Amino acid sequence: MRLTAKSVALIPAIATVAAAAIGATLITTPVANAATTLAAAAQQSGRYFGTAVAAYKLNDSTYTGILNREFDMVTAENEMKMDALEPNQNQFSYGTADRIVNLALNQGKRVRGHALAWHMQQPGWMQNMGGTQLRNAMLNHITQVATYYRGKIYAWDVVNEAFADGSSGGRRDSNLQRTGDDWIEAAFRAARAADPTAKLCYNDYNTDDWSHAKTQGVYRMVQDFKSRGVPIDCVGFQSHFNSQSPVPGNYQTTLQNFANLGVDVQITELDIEGSGSTQAQNYSRVTQACLAVARCTGITVWGIRDTDSWRASGTPLLFDGNGNKKQAYNSTLDALNAGGTTDPTTSTTTTTTTTTTTTTSNNPGNGACTATVSLNQWNEGFVATIRVTAGSSGLNGWRVTTTLSNATVTGSWNADRSGNSGSVNWTNVSYNGNVPAGGWTEFGFQGSGNGSGLNPTCSAR
Ligand code: 9MR
C-alpha cells in the first residue's frame, strides 16, 4: 500500500505500525496538510531536501527562483573541491565557494561541504605528490578548509569515493591511498579537530545495492571506525541511477543496515535518468526508502533542472529545462508529504566518544622508543605528525614530550595530551599503545604559530 498525505492524515496509526515493524525507537510524523515545496515537505519529518548548486548559475533568475523556493540544503557542485579551494599549495581561494555558502546561509539554508579529500579534482601541485608530503598536504588542506568554514557546515564529505568498483570490496588505488591505509581515518580525525560541530561523512557511489562488494567494503570500514572511535557521523549514498545502474530492490535495506551501525545516512547526489511515470516511480521509491529509515536525515539532488545536470542528456532531475516541475517532482513531493520516521537522537550533532577494542599484542615487555616529527608549516600554523617507533622489545604504552616554544596546539588525534604550549606531554590512547618491536604508530596535531623545534622525545610507560 502506498500512503498518500491524505491517507496518513486520516489513519496515522498505519504509520506507527510501519515504524514499529522497523524495530527502532521511532517517532512517526503523519502529515495533516500537504506542503507545497520539497523543503517544507521534508521538514515535516525533520529532514532536509537539498540540491547541488553551481556558482556560475547564480545570475540565472529561473535557477535561483527554484533554488530559493524549493531547497533548504545546498552542496557546491564543484566549488569546494580541493582544486577549487587550494589552487596553489597553502594559498586558499574561497571567493567562489563563499558566494554559494553565503547565499545559502543568508536564506536560512544549510550547507553540505563537498569534499575535503578525493582522488579526483586535485590541484595540479598535489596530483604528483606522494608519501608523507602528500599526507601532510591533505591534512593541511582539511585542517585549513574545515577551520575556515567552522560553524557554517552541516556535514562534510570528508572522504569521497575511496573504494574500488567491481568485486574486490577493497580500496581504490590512488595517490592518497598509497600514503597508507590509514589515510581515511587520519582525514576524519583532522576534520573533527578543525570543526567539532560538523557531521563527518564518508561519501561514495555504487554503494546502494547491499549485495555489492563495494557496499560491503564501505560497511566494514564504517563498522571498524565505529568500533575504534574514529570520528565518523554519517555515510552519503550518491545514488546516481540509470538503466545500467537502476535503483536496487534492497536500497532501503542498505540504508537501514548502515544506519544500524550508529551513523546517519544521507542521499547526497540523487539523479535518476528517464522520464514520465517510470522516472517518477523511481524517485518516489528512493524518497520512501529514506523516509522509512529513521536516521536517513535528508536527500540532495544533483542539480535543479535537467539542463543543469552533469548528465543532461538523461534528463535525470526534477525540473525540466524551462524550470517546470516534472512528474518526478510531484511523486517526490507526495512521498515527502506522506511523512516518515525520525530518530530523536539525530536532531543535533553528536560528538563521537571513543570506544575502543584492545589491539592484541604479543609483546609483553616495555622497551625504549624513538619519536620523529614530520612538519607541514604554513604562514600562521602547522600540522605535525609524530611517529613513535618501538625499540627491540616492543611497547605496552608510550609517552612523548614535545616543546612548543612559539606555538599552541589547536587540535590533535591518536594521542592524549596534557597542556597546549611549552612542554607538552602526549600519551598513547587505548588502541595504539601496543607497538611490536621495531614497529611504529603515529599521532598528530595541528597548531598555530611556529612548529619548528618540537624536538620530540619518547619513553615507555
Ligand atoms: O557534477 C560535477 C561535474 O560538474 C564535474 O565536472 C565532475 C568532475 O569530476 O564532478 C561532478 O560531480 C561529481 C561529484 O563531485 C562526486 N560524485 C560524482 C559527481 C558526478 O561526477
Side-chain angles (χ1 to χ4, degrees), residues 106-123:
N106 288 340
Q107 294 187 355
K109 305 181 197 304
R110 292 180 291 173
V111 178
R112 290 193 86 263
H114 175 79
L116 290 172
W118 190 19
H119 66 283
M120 285 178 69
Q121 287 179 274
Q122 292 182 357

Side-chain angles (χ1 to χ4, degrees), residues 369-375 384-389 400 402 440-443 454-458:
C369 52
T370 54
T372 52
V373 61
S374 154
L375 188 71
T385 306
I386 310 272
R387 178 173 292 197
V388 175
T389 304
V400 169
T402 53
W440 54 266
T441 187
E442 286 182 335
F443 69 95
L454 288 172
N455 206 16
T457 58
C458 185

Side-chain angles (χ1 to χ4, degrees), residues 52 54 56 75-78 81 83 114-115 118 120-121 157 160-161 203-205 238 240 268-269 271 302-303 308-311:
Y56 74 91
T75 305
E77 188 173 358
N78 288 296
K81 293 173 180 174
D83 58 349
H114 175 79
W118 190 19
M120 285 178 69
Q121 287 179 274
D157 290 333
N160 194 38
E161 301 178 2
N203 190 52
D204 214 329
Y205 66 92
Q238 294 185 9
H240 296 293
T268 52
E269 304 182 14
D271 48 22
W302 205 239
D308 300 318
S309 169
W310 67 299
R311 284 176 168 171

Side-chain angles (χ1 to χ4, degrees), residues 22 26-29 38-50 72-73 110 154 255-256 265-267 286-299 335-336 338-343 346:
I22 297 165
L26 305 172
I27 298 170
T28 56
T29 52
L38 298 166
Q43 282 164 17
Q44 295 169 113
S45 67
R47 290 174 174 79
Y48 65 81
F49 205 98
D72 61 354
M73 183 72 77
R110 292 180 291 173
Y154 163 71
L255 298 180
Q256 186 65 60
V265 294
Q266 299 165 357
I267 298 170
V286 169
T287 306
Q288 285 169 347
C290 178
L291 287 165
V293 174
R295 293 196 73 160
C296 183
T297 57
I299 299 173
L336 292 169
T341 55
T342 54
D343 178 343
T346 62

Side-chain angles (χ1 to χ4, degrees), residues 117 153 243 337 350 445:
I153 304 294
S243 55
N337 271 323
T350 50
F445 56 98

